[in-house]
Amino acid sequence: MEVMKPLIEEQNSDGLSDEEHENNFLPVEKHYQLDNEEGITFIQTLTHLLKGNIGTGLLGLPLAIKNAGIVVGPISLVFIGVISVHCMHILVRCSHCLCQRMKKSSLGYSDTVSYAMEVGPLTALQKRASWGRYIVDFFLVITQLGFCSVYVVFLAENVKQVHEGFLENKTAPINVSAASSSSEKRSTDLRIYMLCFLPFLILLVFIRDLKSLSFLSLLANLSMAVSLVIIYQYIVRDIVDPRKLPPMVGWKKYPLFFGTAIFAFEGIGVVLPLENRMKDTTRFPQALNIGMGIVMTLYISLATLGYLRFGDEIKGSITLNLPQDRWLYQSVKILYSFGIFVTYSIQYYVPAEILIPAATSKVEQKWKLLCELVARALLVCSTCAVAVLIPRLDLVISFVGAVSSSTLALILPPLVEILTFYKENLSLWTIFKDVFIAVIGVVGFLTGTYVTVEEIIYPASTVLANATESIPVDLNATNLVAGLK
């Protein structure tokens, strides 16, 4: 996800000309863009939107379809996608309105929520307007660090498969039993691979300026695009008859689908920073519609085709279902892993910008850099620790999606719209629509949290049920992800 630094607020001053007064309502970065002719173009905005929404969530959607059904799953993905894009438009509109009312040059997500509470009709909310900023920042930190933990597991699982596939191809087994025995000896615990990535991730996040990663980010985009093309050409070859798959799965599994789906669609945190940096902000709604239309097409097609191709054998990431004996498909895991490795630093940027300034604010100037680097390293270690402690991270994806992503993407935007425009005689349809979306978010929050926590705390039934079908060679996280219901 391409994320920009929080914009510094500027106050208007008296005695300005009309032109200067008008410029005061531009985002701060645009004041510099007027002189330096900087800012991002329509195509760059579109690229950042795609990068901000396409990651590991895309590769986990086929498993989400399995948890909903071959008919209910794709329909639900379209429904969640449309609502998510609508909420992004709501947030942009509310931000514009509040900028004019509060005479601010630009507002981020947290400031938009805070000022909406301040201008709202309820005195209790007005007195606690600052809470809105803290709530959004809290959920942003949880969401982004959750993304980073998912990336650690994704990197470890894919590199583990590539490494073990290389060893198996290098040593030809004499017979089946010997092959099984040698494979068991060569198998390395998934957590070892996670720890091997830790120092490289720490070095990566020591790069504090995202502009320094622009070239690597371009390579990451290209590698992920090539990987997706190869994945598509493989899954369309041998598709199962849809009638052999269940059209709808029990409602017990549906909250897992909801959490994974909203996790994948949660790109709302990047919307306002991108809109603030555009040269021509009037074209941002068009860029948002085109970008999210491409994202929805990718999500629905890959999720449906992936489930049709692998059926009940689908794993937490579709890359783990690709053949291990052909280097074309092993290269997919390497290319996509490189893209995710670079994306880690971009996802990490948001919690770092929120937490690290607060952690180093009271430190002497000569120690600030050292303290910041230590804080960055500790944050990376925390994401790795979560990955090591909870290897069934597909459930953590659903948990983060249900708790944080549903709050940021579905619950807060419609409530902000009601608070912002309540004085403008909102129609009953708008109020009903906003309440309906918020209720969907709350229901998804509660049911998704309950089901995923239950699965995390009581995983024995899942493992035992899966063990009756096939005995795994080693009970590491890769096998557990593959053995979900």
Side-chain angles (χ1 to χ4, degrees), residues 425-434:
N425 297 322
L426 286 175
S427 65
L428 289 177
W429 160 249
T430 301
I431 296 175
F432 173 79
K433 178 260 299 179
D434 287 341

Side-chain angles (χ1 to χ4, degrees), residues 20-207:
E20 290 171 326
H21 183 73
E22 183 179 354
N23 286 344
N24 267 346
F25 288 95
L26 291 172
V28 172
E29 294 182 47
K30 290 197 174 182
H31 289 290
Y32 301 105
Q33 291 164 14
L34 293 175
D35 297 328
N36 301 334
E37 297 183 358
E38 295 179 355
I40 57 176
T41 63
F42 181 87
I43 298 299
Q44 288 174 322
T45 303
L46 197 59
T47 303
H48 290 318
L49 278 172
L50 294 176
K51 189 70 176 69
N53 286 275
I54 297 176
T56 55
L58 169 63
L59 303 181
L61 283 177
L63 181 62
I65 296 292
K66 176 186 174 182
N67 289 326
I70 192 61
V71 174
V72 174
I75 294 175
S76 299
L77 268 182
V78 174
F79 180 70
I80 292 176
V82 170
I83 291 181
S84 297
V85 175
H86 178 67
C87 287
M88 292 176 185
H89 283 288
I90 288 177
L91 192 62
V92 171
R93 195 161 67 96
C94 291
S95 177
H96 286 172
C97 178
L98 291 170
C99 278
Q100 294 178 1
R101 284 195 203 175
M102 310 305 293
K103 294 180 170 57
K104 300 294 181 181
S105 56
S106 63
L107 294 175
Y109 195 167
S110 58
D111 288 331
T112 299
V113 174
S114 178
Y115 286 123
M117 293 173 64
E118 186 175 322
V119 302
L122 301 179
T123 305
L125 291 180
Q126 293 173 1
K127 293 180 179 179
R128 297 168 177 82
S130 61
W131 289 17
R133 185 178 292 105
Y134 299 139
I135 289 172
V136 173
D137 286 346
F138 172 78
F139 283 114
L140 278 175
V141 168
I142 296 299
T143 301
Q144 300 303 122
L145 292 181
F147 285 165
C148 292
S149 295
V150 172
Y151 289 175
V152 173
V153 173
F154 179 88
L155 290 169
E157 285 184 331
N158 282 272
V159 171
K160 175 182 169 68
Q161 267 204 0
V162 172
H163 180 230
E164 293 183 350
F166 172 75
L167 293 179
E168 289 175 5
N169 293 333
K170 187 176 180 181
T171 307
I174 298 175
N175 51 50
V176 175
S177 60
S180 176
S181 176
S182 61
S183 176
E184 188 171 359
K185 290 179 182 178
R186 287 195 304 268
S187 182
T188 304
D189 193 284
L190 185 68
R191 297 168 180 84
I192 302 299
Y193 289 90
M194 295 180 189
L195 295 176
C196 290
F197 273 107
L198 182 58
F200 298 102
L201 291 172
I202 291 176
L203 291 175
L204 182 68
V205 302
F206 281 173
I207 303 174

Side-chain angles (χ1 to χ4, degrees), residues 9-10 42 62 78 93 112 123 190 197 201 206 210 216 218-219 242 295 298 302 338-339 342 416 423 478:
E9 297 171 355
E10 290 186 351
F42 181 87
V78 174
R93 195 161 67 96
T112 299
T123 305
L190 185 68
F197 273 107
L201 291 172
F206 281 173
L210 289 181
L216 283 178
L218 175 61
L219 293 180
V295 169
L298 279 174
L302 186 67
F338 170 75
V342 175
V416 167
K423 290 183 179 178
T478 303

Side-chain angles (χ1 to χ4, degrees), residues 358-370:
T360 60
S361 59
K362 297 183 179 180
V363 179
E364 294 182 17
Q365 187 63 36
K366 63 179 180 179
W367 298 108
K368 271 188 180 284
L369 178 59
L370 177 61

Side-chain angles (χ1 to χ4, degrees), residues 271-342:
V271 170
L272 290 181
L274 286 178
E275 195 266 348
N276 289 334
R277 288 196 61 184
M278 271 195 81
K279 287 181 179 179
D280 183 7
T281 55
T282 59
R283 299 190 65 191
F284 183 77
Q286 182 185 2
L288 183 59
N289 289 333
I290 294 175
M292 294 307 298
I294 296 173
V295 169
M296 286 179 60
T297 302
L298 279 174
Y299 280 9
I300 295 166
S301 60
L302 186 67
T304 306
L305 292 173
Y307 183 44
L308 286 173
R309 174 63 177 83
F310 299 110
D312 290 337
E313 299 299 319
I314 190 66
K315 299 182 181 180
S317 170
I318 195 172
T319 56
L320 301 176
N321 287 97
L322 298 177
Q324 289 184 254
D325 56 349
R326 298 179 62 181
W327 274 106
L328 174 64
Y329 302 113
Q330 292 290 66
S331 66
V332 169
K333 302 167 189 176
I334 297 173
L335 289 172
Y336 214 95
S337 294
F338 170 75
I340 291 301
F341 177 78
V342 175

Side-chain angles (χ1 to χ4, degrees), residues 374-411:
V374 170
R376 285 176 174 272
L378 290 176
L379 272 181
V380 175
C381 291
S382 70
T383 63
C384 187
V386 172
V388 169
L389 293 173
I390 313 175
R392 291 187 62 184
L393 216 53
D394 58 318
L395 292 181
V396 179
I397 289 178
S398 182
F399 177 76
V400 172
V403 175
S404 299
S405 300
S406 62
T407 302
L408 295 174
L410 298 181
I411 298 176

